[in-house]
Amino acid sequence: MAKFSLPKAGDNSARSSIRVPKTMLAKIDEAMEQSGYNRKQRSKWIEDITLSFLQRSDAPNLIAEEFIVPGSTESIPVTLSNNLDNQINAVLERVQQEEAIRKDRSAVIRTAITQNLLARAGRQLSPKETRLPVTMGEGD
């Protein structure tokens, strides 16, 4: 479960810890590097891919289907903007309403990371939703 602290006066961000599978950490570092982010920019990378993921029409369903094996995760610290925090709260409400499943912030962020890693590996099942450029001839 993600833990969010109250922002400091004049700060537009919230500090948190999210739980991600231990085996995902190396893939996150690799994807960040390929995208031009360094290790100190982990929060920025997570923010950017999560904001992109939340634009997907199937985000609530993917979040509802997200599954994690208990005891297989590691906590990592992140700082997220208040804007993203608000969007995460909104999608969690949608998941509750549309899918009748309660999820937490970590589930939203893990799902965003998973979908980003799958898209990078060409393994995402709904390419229309990936927000990646489509090459000529695809979908014809």
Side-chain angles (χ1 to χ4, degrees):
M1 175 181 242
K3 298 176 187 173
F4 281 73
S5 61
L6 293 173
K8 296 174 185 165
D11 191 3
N12 289 330
S13 61
R15 292 177 184 253
S16 176
S17 291
I18 60 168
R19 300 209 60 87
V20 296
K22 294 173 189 171
T23 56
M24 186 184 281
L25 290 174
K27 294 290 186 187
I28 289 171
D29 290 342
E30 183 180 313
M32 286 173 37
E33 185 179 316
Q34 289 174 354
S35 299
Y37 294 78
N38 63 43
R39 289 183 73 99
K40 291 183 178 182
Q41 295 173 309
R42 181 187 285 169
S43 291
K44 177 68 174 140
W45 181 81
I46 288 173
E47 172 108 10
D48 291 347
I49 67 155
T50 303
L51 284 169
S52 177
F53 169 73
L54 292 176
Q55 300 306 307
R56 294 177 58 152
S57 62
D58 61 346
N61 180 261
L62 290 168
I63 294 164
E65 296 295 326
E66 191 257 357
F67 174 77
I68 196 76
V69 177
S72 68
T73 62
E74 186 168 317
S75 181
I76 61 171
V78 294
T79 302
L80 306 173
S81 70
N82 289 334
N83 174 46
L84 178 57
D85 189 39
N86 291 336
Q87 288 190 44
I88 288 173
N89 288 336
V91 79
L92 287 171
E93 287 179 27
R94 281 184 59 201
V95 169
Q96 175 69 34
Q97 291 171 355
E98 295 175 17
E99 305 292 337
I101 294 175
R102 225 169 180 29
K103 292 289 186 167
D104 63 14
R105 286 177 175 82
S106 284
V108 174
I109 295 170
R110 276 192 309 269
T111 304
I113 292 169
T114 300
Q115 292 302 309
N116 181 275
L117 296 176
L118 286 170
R120 289 177 170 284
R123 302 178 110 193
Q124 198 166 39
L125 296 178
S126 56
K128 181 177 128 187
E129 293 289 351
T130 63
R131 305 269 181 221
L132 295 177
V134 178
T135 59
M136 285 290 280
E138 287 185 25
D140 291 334

